Amino acid sequence: MSQVNKAQSLPISGLLAGYRPLPGVADEMFDPTDALRPGWETLLQTLDRIGPEKLATRFARANQYLHDAGVFYRVYDENGTQEREWPLAHMPILINEEDWREITFGLAQRADLLEDIVADIYGENRLIRDGLLPPDLIASNPEFLHAVAGVKPASGHFLHLCAFELGRGPDGQWWVLGDRTQAPSGAGFALENRVATTRALSDISSAMNVHRLAGFFRDFRDSLQALVKSPQGRAAILTPGPNNETYFEHAYIARYLGIMLLEGDDLTVSKGRVMVRTVSGLKPVDALWRRMDAAYMDPLELKTDSWIGTPGMVSALRQRTVSLVNALGSGILETRALLAFLPAISNALHQRDLALPSIATWWCGQERERTHVVDRLDQMMVGPAMSTRLPFEDVGATVLGSALDAEGRQSLLARLQKDGRGLVGQEAVKLSTTPVYVDGKLEPRPFVLRVFAARHKDGWSFMPGGFARVGFTLDTAAIAMQRGGQAADVWITSNGPVRNDTLLPREDDAFRRNVPGTLPSRAAENLMWMGRYIERAEGTARILRACHARYAEAANMELPLLSEMRDYLKPLGIDLDTAVPKGLQRSIDGAMLSAGRIRDRFSPDGWLALRDLSKTVHRFQDVVMAGDDTTRAMTIILRKLAGFSGLVHENMYRFTGWRFLEIGRRLERGIQMARVLATLSQDDAPDGALEMLLEIGDSVMTHRRQYSVYSGRLSVLDLLALDPLNPRSIIFQLDALKTEFGLLPSREQGATMPAFSKNVLRLHTEMAIMEAVDLTAEKLDTIACDIGTLSDIISDTYFA
């Protein structure tokens, strides 16, 4: 039966009707005999019964989950960087567990081989001595790190987490297209793919006995923690930071596994040990799962212009005080030319052929291999020997011999003769396809399967499926995520029930409540500033609402009170004549930026609420008019601010992180209240100033109840500055700061009271014995400056 007609002969209509596998290309639904592979018929029949309308609703549910969770991939182009919402291909890819067993058996052999190779490259160099590896391939390789030559990993292994790119050939055989050993990405996205796909197809995945992913992550977490050797040590994930294309995944995995997420600036090397800067001082780090390319890890000995590394990291590795996952230098295994030598090395070291072979590769630095490539150029892909990218990702650098015109062919032949060492030839293979749901029907698209392997004490464990990259079009270059590719969940199906793995311990396991982990200084700083930005936005919104309500009544923006507020707001970067000024947007953007730097410590609900707030503010910018429109808009913004604050503050664990967030709120509220009181509470303030003050301070009703007889200027000052029971008053903020300061970790030896505690106690005492009549504009300005000084002292103590 021909591939063109095989779909038509199946007793399935609906989705499969009109499906046309590509001639000469394997399709993941069909085996070499043109029969449906295990599970596909069940899946397709079930989807047909659901029908296109309900399927569209289900897939929209999956998309909505990804949107709400804020899953994104950072794309780089000529316009800079932008966040692309995670592109889920809704149809899962099915692999039977028997086929999966064969795949993982071959990859376990391969992982052991790669470990032996990298250990030799940075060790005895027997492979070069015995002629199994050309010296040029190592010595001139940009991934070979001279600084770590001869350095043995503290863990005893170079590789702890690997990924393998697989494609299926026309004969149904799986081939390894590339190895990922530098800092493999995608494991966290695999989890999100699974959650999103399950939102749409949970009933089907349960019925088909799909293996769960949690067990893999539990085993890997346990292996990572096992690398922690000292009683005070800890494990962490090292990220290049929020501008990295896969930063969302770094934060997601850190939150999922309960492990600290650190940046290079969070770390320092002291007395040969890697230490994390925390609000409690320097704490040792024994194990780092690095998501950063090795060359950027240490500006002292590796890439000298790296701004994201940690000076002294290589020195710590030499002293074997820290374990890296994976070891520095292991990225050399991703070199494309190395694939040409793996078969011979496997036979020499392990006395066996590769159970799962690589795509056929020839390094053109050897005469015979170069001649082979030249003679068969029409069947070859030719590209950079030292590239660590897959051929279809290397757009422009890798060329297909059969696609060259006469001039291009002659140019390539000349390059092969002149610089054969810099080129490899690889057999031109056509990637197999998998069905993708497009506008209510299935269409074939090329895909690459990514398989993750993690080391444990007895060998290697494999994530059961989870992640594949699927082309947006039939062009294989469109598989790359940077070029519009999609991601699909991969289901490993079983004929019987599968284990219900989770990260949680069993019910009968003994447990101990651990003290929450130490808080990195950078995280504390971002939490404090997020609190300040949110409070600043709320104060600004209250002022704008009060001002535009009065403008709506008088239709005159030149009222003395509004002119006074215009002068007050201008130094703060807020233009009262603009309905939704950029100063308000900047406050919300600042909160978003701070929250983005601590995504691992931020709940998905909190992030969703903050994104919604940001979108609302930016949407109002173009549609809101001054007056009533702005008044209503500010009410909406205040309601969303209150919802966000309530969500975060009611649900956040009351430990050090929460304290810094609370400190930020209290500092900002105290400063703003002192400043606005200094402007509007004086004898010469414009008419209506006191009423506006009470409105800004959300204290109108309280004032009426508390001061029913006399409601003049001093009563407003007393309520908004000196009343310890009013949550908007200055002294209330100082009281809260005094409490939170007293619970912060001590950074000083002995019983000396920290400077910030001394200052807040002094300021609180001064205000506690004041009378409202003492609160002149000058005094209120001084109080605002003194509260700002508290922020500076906290920064100098914990963040510097």
Side-chain angles (χ1 to χ4, degrees):
M1 186 185 303
S2 71
Q3 266 196 317
V4 174
N5 296 323
K6 59 185 173 185
Q8 294 177 318
S9 67
L10 294 167
I12 299 175
S13 57
L15 284 174
L16 201 54
Y19 186 79
R20 293 291 183 272
L22 302 180
V25 175
D27 191 277
E28 199 53 32
M29 282 199 297
F30 304 100
D31 65 21
T33 69
D34 294 340
L36 281 173
R37 296 185 188 276
W40 281 101
E41 186 166 357
T42 300
L43 175 63
L44 294 170
Q45 287 177 336
T46 307
L47 295 179
D48 276 343
R49 284 196 296 270
I50 293 172
E53 291 186 4
K54 290 184 178 179
L55 264 186
T57 301
R58 287 184 176 220
F59 292 155
R61 190 185 308 150
N63 291 342
Q64 188 62 48
Y65 163 76
L66 293 169
H67 173 80
D68 291 345
V71 186
F72 71 89
Y73 185 85
R74 193 173 298 281
V75 178
Y76 309 101
D77 55 28
E78 62 275 4
N79 299 318
T81 67
Q82 56 183 329
E83 292 181 4
R84 176 192 179 199
E85 289 199 355
W86 189 245
L88 178 68
H90 300 101
M91 283 289 291
I93 298 173
L94 307 185
I95 301 176
N96 182 268
E97 65 178 357
E98 293 180 4
D99 295 335
W100 185 249
R101 204 172 292 119
E102 292 183 10
I103 291 173
T104 56
F105 174 80
L107 292 180
Q109 286 186 351
R110 189 181 188 91
D112 286 336
L113 178 65
L114 293 177
E115 171 71 31
D116 290 344
I117 292 173
V118 69
D120 181 78
I121 288 173
Y122 288 99
E124 297 180 7
N125 286 308
R126 290 178 300 162
L127 296 175
I128 291 177
R129 182 193 65 200
D130 296 342
L132 294 168
L133 273 179
D136 282 1
L137 193 59
I138 305 303
S140 61
N141 196 315
E143 293 297 333
F144 178 69
L145 304 182
H146 296 268
V148 294
V151 177
K152 294 183 178 180
S155 66
H157 296 287
F158 284 81
L159 303 180
H160 298 269
L161 181 71
C162 305
F164 305 93
E165 307 276 18
L166 304 185
R168 197 194 286 272
D171 59 355
Q173 169 72 44
W174 287 103
W175 297 85
V176 178
L177 304 174
D179 303 296
R180 293 286 171 256
T181 54
Q182 175 75 268
S185 64
F189 288 128
L191 273 173
E192 287 288 35
N193 284 349
R194 176 60 53 88
V195 175
T197 304
T198 302
R199 291 290 177 99
L201 306 173
S202 58
D203 50 342
I204 304 175
S205 63
S206 297
M208 295 184 68
N209 300 316
V210 176
H211 284 263
R212 297 171 66 91
L213 306 181
F216 170 82
F217 288 97
R218 183 192 60 235
D219 292 344
F220 178 63
R221 179 194 60 189
D222 294 346
S223 296
L224 191 60
Q225 294 290 359
L227 297 176
V228 177
K229 303 301 182 182
S230 62
Q232 300 301 318
R234 65 213 69 227
I237 299 173
L238 181 62
T239 175
N243 291 328
N244 184 261
E245 61 191 17
T246 57
Y247 176 73
F248 170 84
E249 179 190 36
H250 306 167
Y252 178 79
I253 283 286
R255 189 168 62 241
Y256 181 70
L257 298 182
I259 296 175
M260 281 196 301
L261 182 67
L262 304 176
E263 297 181 25
D265 278 349
D266 293 328
L267 299 171
T268 186
V269 177
S270 176
K271 297 179 181 178
R273 295 206 65 179
V274 177
M275 312 289 281
V276 55
R277 296 183 176 96
T278 79
V279 294
S280 302
L282 296 180
K283 302 295 180 182
V285 176
D286 287 358
L288 278 173
W289 177 10
R290 65 175 180 90
R291 302 303 304 270
M292 184 188 302
D293 284 356
Y296 293 89
M297 289 285 291
D298 186 346
L300 287 182
E301 300 199 51
L302 299 171
K303 193 174 175 61
T304 57
D305 60 350
S306 170
W307 288 88
I308 58 176
T310 304
M313 181 66 71
V314 172
S315 176
L317 291 174
R318 291 195 186 102
Q319 298 184 54
R320 307 187 74 190
T321 59
V322 64
S323 294
L324 293 187
V325 177
N326 289 325
L328 293 192
S330 54
I332 196 170
L333 296 171
E334 298 186 1
T335 305
R336 196 184 300 178
L338 188 64
L339 297 177
F341 303 93
L342 292 187
I345 295 174
S346 179
N347 277 294
L349 296 185
H350 297 166
Q351 293 76 51
R352 63 191 177 205
D353 293 332
L354 292 169
L356 200 61
S358 311
I359 179 176
T361 305
W362 296 267
W363 181 51
C364 298
Q366 299 161 300
E367 181 66 30
R368 186 176 65 176
E369 284 73 11
R370 182 169 61 250
T371 300
H372 179 87
V373 170
V374 169
D375 291 345
R376 295 166 178 78
L377 196 58
D378 287 341
Q379 290 86 46
M380 293 287 172
M381 301 177 292
V382 179
M386 301 301 180
S387 175
T388 59
R389 301 164 66 91
L390 298 186
F392 62 81
E393 295 175 325
D394 233 355
V395 178
T398 299
V399 297
L400 187 63
S402 61
L404 295 172
D405 57 20
E407 182 179 353
R409 185 182 182 89
Q410 287 303 315
S411 176
L412 179 57
L413 289 173
R415 283 184 61 201
L416 283 166
Q417 293 300 324
K418 182 179 179 180
D419 185 30
R421 293 186 304 173
L423 296 170
V424 291
Q426 293 182 292
E427 183 181 2
V429 296
K430 295 182 178 179
L431 295 176
S432 61
T433 58
T434 189
V436 173
Y437 188 83
V438 181
D439 297 330
K441 61 181 181 179
L442 296 182
E443 295 182 3
R445 293 289 186 269
F447 81 100
V448 171
L449 175 66
R450 181 172 292 181
V451 181
F452 293 91
R455 183 183 294 281
H456 58 82
K457 61 180 180 179
D458 298 319
W460 296 93
S461 63
F462 290 85
M463 183 193 294
F467 190 74
R469 292 181 294 161
V470 183
F472 182 71
T473 66
L474 290 175
D475 180 7
T476 54
I479 290 177
M481 302 300 289
Q482 287 289 338
R483 298 178 63 84
Q486 306 172 87
D489 193 11
V490 180
W491 290 2
I492 308 304
T493 61
S494 174
N495 295 327
V498 297
R499 289 172 51 186
N500 188 25
D501 283 324
T502 72
L503 257 66
L504 297 175
R506 296 188 301 271
E507 278 191 34
D508 57 347
D509 282 352
F511 71 91
R512 179 182 65 184
R513 180 188 297 156
N514 292 320
V515 176
T518 51
L519 182 69
S521 297
R522 175 184 52 83
E525 184 174 17
N526 279 286
L527 283 164
M528 191 184 84
W529 275 103
M530 185 175 71
R532 289 198 64 172
Y533 281 127
I534 287 296
E535 191 63 36
R536 187 176 299 173
E538 181 181 339
T540 301
R542 289 187 179 280
I543 291 173
L544 290 172
R545 183 173 67 172
C547 289
H548 281 272
R550 284 153 179 77
Y551 167 64
E553 292 174 1
N556 181 7
M557 194 58 94
E558 300 305 320
L559 290 172
L561 179 57
L562 297 184
S563 295
E564 183 78 19
M565 291 309 297
R566 182 183 290 105
D567 293 340
Y568 169 79
L569 292 170
K570 188 174 182 180
L572 304 179
I574 298 168
D575 181 4
L576 184 58
D577 298 314
T578 303
V580 182
K582 291 194 178 298
L584 176 59
Q585 297 172 28
R586 282 195 294 269
S587 294
I588 300 298
D589 290 344
M592 284 284 291
L593 181 63
S594 294
R597 297 291 299 271
I598 49 172
R599 284 292 298 271
D600 58 311
R601 297 175 179 272
F602 211 65
S603 74
D605 287 339
W607 181 255
L608 176 61
L610 189 55
R611 285 186 67 197
D612 181 54
L613 175 62
S614 176
K615 288 181 179 179
T616 299
V617 171
H618 285 274
R619 185 174 68 249
F620 282 163
Q621 176 186 359
D622 300 323
V623 299
V624 173
M625 304 293 289
D628 276 338
D629 248 12
T630 299
T631 304
R632 286 190 295 270
M634 292 304 116
T635 299
I636 293 171
I637 290 170
L638 285 168
R639 188 169 67 242
K640 295 197 174 199
L641 279 163
F644 169 76
S645 297
L647 184 67
V648 171
H649 291 283
E650 288 302 316
N651 295 335
M652 195 170 177
Y653 192 77
R654 296 302 198 265
F655 200 61
T656 311
W658 182 86
R659 300 197 196 293
F660 279 97
L661 183 64
E662 183 71 359
I663 285 168
R665 290 180 65 219
R666 299 305 175 184
L667 287 169
E668 190 67 30
R669 185 175 291 185
I671 292 169
Q672 288 205 29
M673 184 55 69
R675 285 176 174 167
V676 76
L677 280 173
T679 300
L680 294 180
S681 67
Q682 304 312 305
D683 289 332
D684 58 351
D687 289 342
L690 296 180
E691 289 81 359
M692 179 178 279
L693 267 176
L694 292 171
E695 190 175 329
I696 292 170
D698 198 19
S699 298
V700 174
M701 296 299 296
T702 303
H703 185 266
R704 288 174 184 171
R705 287 195 302 266
Q706 297 293 101
Y707 306 90
S708 54
V709 176
Y710 175 65
S711 58
R713 181 179 70 87
L714 294 181
S715 68
V716 174
L717 280 168
D718 183 66
L719 178 61
L720 295 180
L722 302 177
D723 191 334
L725 300 181
N726 182 5
R728 294 281 168 180
S729 73
I730 299 173
I731 200 167
F732 188 96
Q733 315 315 313
L734 294 175
D735 192 50
L737 287 170
K738 187 174 67 169
T739 300
E740 299 305 332
F741 284 178
L743 295 170
L744 290 178
S746 175
R747 295 293 296 269
E748 299 177 11
Q749 299 297 323
T752 304
M753 181 183 289
F756 50 81
S757 292
K758 289 180 182 178
N759 281 34
V760 75
L761 180 60
R762 175 187 57 78
L763 188 54
H764 183 272
T765 303
E766 287 180 4
M767 290 207 67
I769 61 176
M770 278 185 186
E771 300 292 339
V773 70
D774 300 325
L775 293 172
T776 63
E778 292 77 11
K779 184 61 180 177
L780 287 164
D781 281 335
T782 300
I783 290 170
C785 290
D786 287 345
I787 297 175
T789 299
L790 292 176
S791 178
D792 295 338
I793 297 173
I794 287 290
S795 296
D796 291 342
T797 303
Y798 290 105
F799 309 151

